[in-house]
Amino acid sequence: MIRTYQGSCHCKTVRFEIDADIDHVRVCDCSVCAMRGALIHRVPADAFRLQTPLDNLSVYRWGSRTAADYFCPTCGVLPFRKPSAPTAEEAANGLAPFDGWAVNTRCLEGFDPSGVPVRTVRGSTLVIRQSR
């Protein structure tokens, strides 16, 4: 069932809301995600409403530099990110780009991640070529 969730960083400087049926969360094992510990759920672009100007957030890009990890400049929490584009191999195997947002479900009011299945994303095995 689709529900509207309010989300924010720890200090509430960054605010957003989503419409989602959160039937699972994703845990990635790449180096940055393993340290971060976020439980991610993807939502389409039209189901995400940012209430804080994007320019007010800090952004981190790494690897292929096609993803954007957005952080609160005050408390440092990552409430959401723009997922990376498919690698050449993924695109060759038919994986289409995702036009939406990956939301850290730990930042959603009233959502208990212990009640949904966890899917592991093997980000540590992706071969990412640095763009210059």
Side-chain angles (χ1 to χ4, degrees):
M1 181 170 94
I2 293 179
R3 178 178 162 191
T4 299
Y5 292 93
Q6 303 298 314
S8 69
C9 63
H10 186 261
C11 71
K12 309 249 187 268
T13 296
V14 178
R15 293 177 180 270
F16 63 97
E17 67 180 19
I18 64 167
D19 298 320
D21 178 9
I22 305 176
D23 59 352
H24 72 280
V25 294
R26 296 175 177 208
V27 174
C28 178
D29 70 350
C30 78
S31 59
V32 72
C33 290
M35 289 181 179
R36 180 183 301 141
L39 297 174
I40 297 295
H41 186 79
R42 288 182 167 191
V43 297
D46 63 355
F48 178 87
R49 291 173 298 284
L50 184 57
Q51 298 166 338
T52 303
L54 204 56
D55 291 343
N56 290 5
L57 282 74
S58 297
V59 65
Y60 178 62
R61 296 178 187 272
W62 66 287
S64 67
R65 304 193 61 76
T66 62
D69 293 357
Y70 291 97
F71 295 87
C72 173
T74 304
C75 68
V77 167
L78 172 127
F80 51 83
R81 65 187 307 271
K82 222 24 173 155
S84 60
T87 64
E89 181 180 342
E90 290 171 329
N93 288 327
L95 183 65
F98 176 72
D99 181 32
W101 294 87
V103 174
N104 181 356
T105 61
R106 294 182 188 269
C107 294
L108 299 176
E109 295 174 17
F111 177 72
D112 179 7
S114 68
V116 296
V118 176
R119 294 183 185 165
T120 300
V121 175
R122 305 286 298 158
S124 63
T125 65
L126 293 176
V127 177
I128 299 174
R129 291 178 177 59
Q130 295 287 339
S131 58
R132 299 198 189 258

